[in-house]
Amino acid sequence: MLQPSALACVRARCPLCGPTLLVRLNHSEQGVRCVRCGASAVHLSLGAVLRATCPDLRRRDAYELSARGPLVAWLRREVRSLTLSEYLPDVPAGTVRGGVRSEDVQRLSFADASFDLVTHTEVLEHVPDDRRALAELQRVLRPGGLMLFTVPLHDAGCTRERARRHGDRIEHLLEPAWHTDPLRGGAGILVYRDYGRDLPARVRAAGFGEVALQLPHPPLPWLPPRAVVVARKDLA
Ligand SMILES: [Zn+2]
């Protein structure tokens, strides 16, 4: 949505598509975009940190937990091979519908040690059991493999669970919060938790060796910095 008072434009280098203009259409984080490739602030942050931490992208077999968009288009050009999936609840895991592979990150259908790189943006807060998801992502990474991801981070010491899943029933511990999902026609998807500063410890608990929060450099204009989690699976 365009807010005329927010309209601004600045020359920048997009980590995904090169020299470009960044435009601010409104005062929300979603209002900042690269005009050439359409990357959002989250994609720009992940791309910048990925370039800085992973200079050997061309030697990596990558898995991204979405099936389209500017980040997917960039990864397709940069990595050795790219596997994509979406969570399609009515499609069995590992099968393809409409060109999109269905996967539930809590029980992935991939063999152990299938990938050198895993990326996901704004996914984990929507997963009922994120510990199981992180353990699965660690399992499908090869030794020494990297996982980079973003979630909304809150200024709190501890992650706060907003909802719990009991089979098909959802228990709401706090007022339900929803994010819009373009793949489902803009329908809301439930936020299961608000991550706090204990996020790196949660990722380490899933079996990752090194875990750090990294900020994109140079920082994006107009916005507070968006931290990217960089997690490495141990070699042994
Ligand atoms: Zn771009």
Side-chain angles (χ1 to χ4, degrees), residues 4 30 48 72 165 189:
Q30 291 76 28
V72 166
R165 189 82 171 259
I189 44 172

Side-chain angles (χ1 to χ4, degrees), residues 14 16-18 20 34 36-39 44:
C14 171
L16 310 190
C17 74
T20 186
C34 167
R36 276 183 76 200
C37 74
L44 294 165

Side-chain angles (χ1 to χ4, degrees), residues 162-190:
R162 303 189 62 92
R164 261 201 294 259
R165 189 82 171 259
H166 307 278
D168 286 342
R169 192 172 66 82
I170 296 170
E171 177 193 3
H172 293 284
L173 309 170
L174 294 169
E175 184 68 22
W178 308 86
H179 292 164
T180 52
D181 180 2
L183 198 78
R184 290 173 182 81
I189 44 172
L190 184 66

